[in-house]
Amino acid sequence: ELRAHQLSRKYGAARIRLDLKAKGVAQEIVERVGREGELERARAILARKYRTPAGSREEHARRMRFLQQRGFSHDTIRKLLSSDAEDEALIP
């Protein structure tokens, strides 16, 4: 549980589950890793990495790939990168 909490600062639920399985953590603990708060975590990670909104399609795609590699779900990424949500996420 401590490892899952530490990883939640940088990764989404899918990536955390994979890491825990690779470390041999019991299945019932792995299953407890939920998606609650995933949108907020993704927003915080994206804001730390990118300070300005995406200006082009290529930049938008780059941010999508970044979040996918971090283990966030497609629904979370789509919600976050919609034009309105992204603008709000990057304004301090």
Side-chain angles (χ1 to χ4, degrees):
E1 291 179 10
L2 178 62
R3 178 136 178 99
H5 179 69
Q6 290 172 340
L7 291 173
S8 70
R9 287 188 36 84
K10 294 176 71 174
Y11 301 110
R15 179 89 181 253
I16 294 170
R17 283 190 207 104
L18 278 174
D19 182 83
L20 293 177
K21 285 180 186 178
K23 297 288 183 189
V25 174
Q27 185 64 27
E28 59 269 2
I29 295 174
V30 172
E31 290 173 359
R32 278 194 255 158
V33 174
R35 291 188 179 176
E36 60 272 349
E38 191 171 46
L39 184 62
E40 291 78 24
R41 283 197 320 260
R43 182 175 286 128
I45 290 169
L46 197 64
R48 280 194 305 260
K49 175 92 171 154
Y50 300 102
R51 301 290 181 198
T52 59
S56 66
R57 287 178 82 165
E58 292 81 16
E59 186 63 29
H60 188 78
R62 184 175 296 126
R63 291 171 193 212
M64 287 183 77
R65 285 190 304 271
F66 171 74
L67 290 172
Q68 285 173 338
Q69 290 172 349
R70 292 290 178 118
F72 291 99
S73 69
H74 180 71
D75 292 335
T76 301
I77 295 168
R78 191 179 41 185
K79 286 178 191 173
L80 182 61
L81 292 180
S82 68
S83 60
D84 295 335
E86 186 178 1
D87 293 341
E88 293 176 70
L90 297 175
I91 297 173

